[in-house]
Amino acid sequence: LVSAAVTTDAWVFTGGTHAGVMKDVGDAFEKWTYKTSTVDRGLVQVPVIGIASWYYATNYRQLIQQRPVKLSSVGGIMPTSTFSTVADREKLYRNCVPQKKPSSCPLDPNHTHFILLDDKCGENDETWEQYGYPVRADLTIQLRAEIEQEARCSSHYRQNYKIPIIQILIEGGPSSLLTVVEAVMHETPVVVIEGTGRAANFIPQVYKALYGNQKTYVPPGDNNADLERVIEEARREIITESNEKCFRDMIRSEKGFFLINTILLCPDDPEFKLSDAILQALFRATSMPKHEISDAHVQKFKLAMAWNKFDLAVSDMLIENVKTQWTDVQLDSALIHA
């Protein structure tokens, strides 16, 4: 993951808490920071951004900032956008163990930035529990997906474009399933690392039960005994009342077919590269019917160039029988974007 992020000058988004894979991601980038020379670190900086729930963060009150106030034009009081002193701007956050009452999890200290979201339920546990989610942080998953989509919007030479985005699932539980659903609904490709446990093993099983080795999308039938068996085995641990319906709808949809990608974890295989799996998932996303055939090869070329896969661009996309598909305008545009 670190290698893929550094190669493509990417931003990394997580749930931001000091637990599970989010903690592992923070640790990995912290180790990379210390192992990298000062010169190289100055050339490549990877933001690791945690988008977390304000009330789900343990000891969130430590982060409350006392901004100076001023009178507004209508006579009210409003906080200013600047701070009087460094002490007002910087807050000491003491890491601690997760709490059960109320349920909370500390923020991970190895992330570079945090965006903390208010779920509008206040401090009372009884308010958010009525929504039926097992974890309070689930209330902010949809907003987090929308923020990630906005973060990919950019412009260059007065042209607006979207930076490629992908979600990677390692292990995970019921909340991770909701995160995958939101990603696919926003047309974000998902790479599921099979073999890491729980949700990351469950999704490939469901996908295989529905589609087998299909290369093109055919709507699945209603009666699928293999599918029901897999879901029943995962009930409670992965499948819950809050995620079952939306997951079923997503995985049976055309978006689910094209955007869910699985890769078997082979850490001892010298040929195993997560960056290649990510690129292939992005390629597959361009094959969705919404993309015109004339546009798909342009999108793939831009991705290969952005991923520094120049050999792939030359060997697969600029060969003689493909060159005829290109126009001068398309090639110029692809090279500028890359």
Side-chain angles (χ1 to χ4, degrees), residues 188-251:
T188 297
V190 178
V191 173
V192 181
I193 312 298
E194 187 178 1
T196 55
R198 302 176 70 200
N201 288 353
F202 167 71
I203 292 177
Q205 291 174 0
V206 171
Y207 193 93
K208 185 176 181 180
L210 278 175
Y211 302 113
N213 297 319
Q214 284 181 216
K215 301 299 182 183
T216 57
Y217 175 70
V218 177
D222 292 331
N223 298 317
N224 188 314
D226 290 338
L227 172 66
E228 297 306 321
R229 176 184 52 80
V230 172
I231 288 180
E232 198 57 39
E233 289 175 353
R235 198 170 296 282
R236 290 193 183 89
E237 184 184 10
I238 305 297
I239 289 292
T240 63
E241 290 182 5
S242 62
N243 65 24
E244 180 172 0
K245 184 181 185 305
C246 61
F247 175 74
R248 283 178 178 271
D249 292 343
M250 179 278 293
I251 201 69

Side-chain angles (χ1 to χ4, degrees), residues 4 14 31 45 55 77 156 233 245 261 286 316 321:
T14 79
K31 290 177 182 178
Q45 294 182 342
Y55 289 111
I77 295 177
H156 188 67
E233 289 175 353
K245 184 181 185 305
N261 305 267
T286 65
D316 288 10
N321 61 339

Side-chain angles (χ1 to χ4, degrees), residues 78-115:
M78 59 184 296
T80 63
S81 58
T82 57
F83 298 94
S84 300
T85 65
V86 172
D88 291 331
R89 184 177 74 249
E90 296 182 352
K91 293 296 177 181
L92 177 63
Y93 182 78
R94 297 184 184 277
N95 217 358
C96 61
V97 297
Q99 304 295 311
K100 291 185 178 180
K101 290 293 182 180
S103 179
S104 67
C105 192
L107 300 176
D108 182 72
N110 294 322
H111 283 58
T112 60
H113 302 77
F114 287 95
I115 301 174

Side-chain angles (χ1 to χ4, degrees), residues 17-42:
T17 54
H18 190 62
V21 175
M22 295 170 284
K23 174 182 177 295
D24 293 339
V25 170
D27 289 346
F29 280 97
E30 181 70 3
K31 290 177 182 178
W32 172 79
T33 300
Y34 280 106
K35 289 181 179 180
T36 308
S37 68
T38 305
V39 175
D40 291 339
R41 199 162 59 242

Side-chain angles (χ1 to χ4, degrees), residues 266-286:
C266 301
D268 297 330
D269 184 358
E271 299 298 321
F272 176 83
K273 288 186 178 180
L274 179 60
S275 57
D276 290 344
I278 293 172
L279 182 59
Q280 290 302 322
L282 292 169
F283 280 173
R284 190 161 178 248
T286 65

